[in-house]
Amino acid sequence: GYAAEKLFNSGFSYTYDDLIFLPHYIDFAADDVNLSSRLSRNISLSTPFVASPMDTVSESAMASAMAALGGIAIVHPNNTSSRQASIIRAAKSRRVPILSEPVFVSPSDVIEFEDDFAASPFILVTESGTSTGKFLGFVSKTNWSNRNDMSVRVSDYMEPPPSAVPWNSDLAKIEEELVKEKGNVVALMKGEEVVDLVTKEEVERVRGYPKLVTGGSVGADGEWLVGAAIGTREQDKERLEHLVKAGVNAVVLDSSQGNSIYQLEMIKYVKKVYPELDVIGGNVVTMYQAENLIQAGVDGLRVGMGSGSICTTQEVCAVGRGQGTAVYKVSSIAHKSGVPVIADGGISNSGHIVKALSLGASTVMMGSFLAAMTQGSDQRYLGDTAKLKIAQGVVGAVKDKGSVLKFIPYTLQAVRQGFQDIGANSLQSAHDLLRSRVLRLEVRTGAAQVEGGIHGLVSYEKKYF
């Protein structure tokens, strides 16, 4: 095999599928592999997974779940600044991966339509009809749908407040309260304010998932870590102010080509006005691009151009780079400045994650791996100021993989096994092996790629060992 330094200086642009790592020496169990890493200079994660800022991926439920699993989600900006801020507040307002984004009404209100519940199984009743009002009771969608007269005021049939626990209670505490009170629902309270209601059924459902990472991704404020994406226009400064007030922990500057005067100026603005806030720049694919953003003050870099499942930048604009080469090149310069790299795009399976992390990335960003984009992203892929808009992405659909609370732990275990095969018991160990030329790679021919995948079968089913 070849050392990465030689392979990636050969003048070819390699994708993940082009590359294969040669096995090394195993003297540890797969369960002993430590995948803790950093999202940015000041944010550590126990799981190196980041949910992409796509409107069909990263909203409050995903942000809460990813944090519970030890990773983080970047809330998308394809909405108003107040809406994006409310998503962040909702995700950070609890410490269990159960979230319904409740609707609030006053006692004098009337609930006429099922749509009034939005995506929540409850409507919460407060004196003011807002989240900050005194909690008076609730209306469940089930009980409401069984009523004959929908024109009655909420105060005439709402149920009284259930027993309560602090907003940051874990599943064990919530379950303990349900057993003690012999109830089916418990309220999460933050001081005098109600955050949400959690049912016995929801607790049992989440308990059935693989063991969640102890503690999850928690910030200095004791709340979940949540990131958010913004653009580089003047109005994004106002958006940023809303996000900071909502408690955002990191911002990602969302551009398909990040090496621009607009992004450099925004990086400097963020670091000047909010010096404690980590800012992640990108996207970049070259050392030159990366160096410009590092000098401007970024705390992290997002790598990838034209490698996303819906992104057609390389075809439409003839600009970009194979993701394997991009991750290696950018990481090789970024690590000298202590700047972590997010490998963004090209992730279709756990082997791609192993390759991205082993080539120097600190985390991987996943979009279609978790869902598909069906709306928005006009600012990132089309350019909202262009008179003639050129599409650099497509609309598509992917197979539903089920709950992220099951899917991420399964994927993590597969990544640990990959690290065991290359002889790395941690992410830092993989980086050290690569840079010391111990870890060797080869380029796969087309036939080798076919041979390495599923082939020669009429039908098959997955087996788990």
Side-chain angles (χ1 to χ4, degrees):
Y2 296 90
E5 183 180 8
K6 181 175 181 179
L7 192 67
F8 289 109
N9 284 326
S10 61
F12 292 96
S13 188
Y14 295 120
T15 68
Y16 294 139
D17 282 338
D18 290 327
L19 305 168
I20 195 71
F21 283 106
L22 302 187
H24 192 44
Y25 178 68
I26 297 175
D27 58 357
F28 55 89
D31 288 342
D32 294 333
V33 174
N34 180 3
L35 291 178
S36 60
S37 187
R38 288 186 301 150
L39 173 77
S40 55
R41 287 187 194 273
N42 304 300
I43 296 180
S44 297
L45 303 174
S46 55
T47 300
F49 294 170
V50 183
S52 176
M54 289 162 50
D55 42 28
T56 54
V57 176
S58 292
E59 293 201 324
S60 51
M62 178 64 79
S64 178
M66 288 298 290
L69 292 162
I72 193 170
I74 310 299
V75 176
H76 71 86
N78 299 323
N79 46 27
T80 63
S81 56
S82 59
R83 173 58 183 161
Q84 191 179 17
S86 70
I87 291 172
I88 292 169
R89 281 192 294 269
K92 292 175 70 70
S93 66
R94 66 216 62 211
R95 288 287 298 279
V96 289
I98 297 173
L99 186 105
S100 61
E101 284 197 73
V103 176
F104 295 87
V105 298
S106 70
S108 61
D109 286 333
V110 175
I111 304 172
E112 295 185 84
F113 307 103
E114 185 175 340
D115 288 348
D116 292 341
F117 285 83
S120 175
F122 304 102
I123 287 181
L124 304 185
V125 186
T126 64
E127 278 187 347
S128 62
T130 67
S131 60
T132 57
K134 181 180 178 181
F135 184 35
L136 302 178
F138 68 96
V139 176
S140 72
K141 184 185 289 187
T142 301
N143 288 346
W144 174 85
S145 63
N146 290 332
R147 294 187 58 80
N148 294 321
D149 186 0
M150 302 302 183
S151 63
V152 179
R153 290 183 176 182
V154 167
S155 58
D156 292 339
Y157 64 93
M158 67 182 187
E159 299 179 55
S163 60
V165 296
W167 68 274
N168 56 358
S169 299
D170 59 17
L171 287 172
K173 175 64 177 176
I174 294 172
E175 189 171 33
E176 178 185 327
E177 184 68 19
L178 287 168
V179 171
K180 183 178 73 173
E181 297 297 325
K182 297 180 180 179
N184 291 316
V185 63
V186 64
L188 301 180
M189 302 293 293
K190 197 169 191 177
E192 297 298 316
E193 298 178 13
V194 60
V195 171
D196 203 355
L197 300 184
V198 176
T199 66
K200 182 179 180 180
E201 290 76 17
E202 288 174 316
V203 171
E204 291 175 347
R205 174 179 58 82
V206 173
R207 264 203 328 162
Y209 292 134
K211 187 177 180 180
L212 301 179
V213 175
T214 303
S217 300
V218 181
D221 56 4
E223 300 178 343
W224 289 139
L225 292 177
V226 180
I230 63 172
T232 57
R233 297 163 305 284
E234 192 63 29
Q235 58 263 39
D236 284 295
K237 294 177 180 178
E238 181 182 345
R239 178 183 289 268
L240 178 61
E241 183 180 356
H242 282 271
L243 301 180
V244 170
K245 289 179 180 178
V248 71
N249 299 101
V251 291
V252 173
L253 302 186
D254 200 26
S255 302
S256 60
Q257 212 284 51
N259 186 31
S260 69
I261 185 63
Y262 316 109
Q263 185 157 144
L264 294 175
E265 289 178 349
M266 181 61 86
I267 292 167
K268 293 173 183 177
Y269 173 83
V270 176
K271 298 310 295 183
K272 178 182 178 181
V273 180
Y274 306 103
E276 301 302 314
L277 180 65
D278 275 18
V279 57
I280 297 166
N283 281 25
V284 296
V285 293
T286 71
M287 297 169 73
Y288 168 72
Q289 287 179 297
E291 197 160 16
N292 280 348
L293 300 191
I294 291 170
Q295 290 177 358
V298 291
D299 300 294
L301 286 169
R302 189 175 170 197
V303 177
M305 190 172 182
S307 56
S309 64
I310 62 156
C311 184
T312 58
T313 300
Q314 291 183 23
E315 294 179 14
V316 173
C317 299
V319 178
R321 201 172 206 175
Q323 188 68 342
T325 299
V327 169
Y328 173 76
K329 289 289 189 179
V330 174
S331 298
S332 64
I333 189 75
H335 92 277
K336 296 178 182 178
S337 302
V339 176
V341 162
I342 303 171
D344 174 28
I347 301 296
S348 299
N349 54 56
S350 58
H352 291 162
I353 296 174
V354 174
K355 291 174 183 178
L357 296 175
S358 299
L359 288 172
S362 293
T363 55
V364 292
M365 182 169 278
M366 298 176 290
S368 66
F369 196 64
L370 300 175
M373 183 176 73
T374 58
Q375 61 184 27
S377 294
D378 186 64
Q379 296 166 1
R380 173 180 172 83
Y381 285 115
L382 296 179
D384 61 340
T385 60
K387 293 181 180 178
L388 178 61
K389 296 186 177 183
I390 305 300
Q392 297 181 47
V394 298
V395 173
V398 296
K399 181 180 179 181
D400 189 330
K401 299 178 178 70
S403 172
V404 70
L405 298 178
K406 285 184 178 180
F407 184 64
I408 292 297
Y410 166 79
T411 304
L412 271 173
Q413 190 59 28
V415 173
R416 289 192 185 98
Q417 291 176 5
F419 268 59
Q420 182 190 38
D421 284 340
I422 65 172
N425 61 7
S426 68
L427 199 144
Q428 185 59 53
S429 173
H431 293 178
D432 291 342
L433 289 172
L434 186 79
R435 290 169 186 144
S436 64
R437 304 183 181 182
V438 173
L439 193 56
R440 315 294 280 190
L441 304 92
E442 287 182 346
V443 177
R444 297 196 295 174
T445 64
Q449 292 183 40
V450 171
E451 182 183 69
I454 299 167
H455 61 278
L457 301 176
V458 175
S459 64
Y460 68 92
E461 60 178 311
K462 289 185 177 180
K463 291 290 186 181
Y464 302 94
F465 300 95

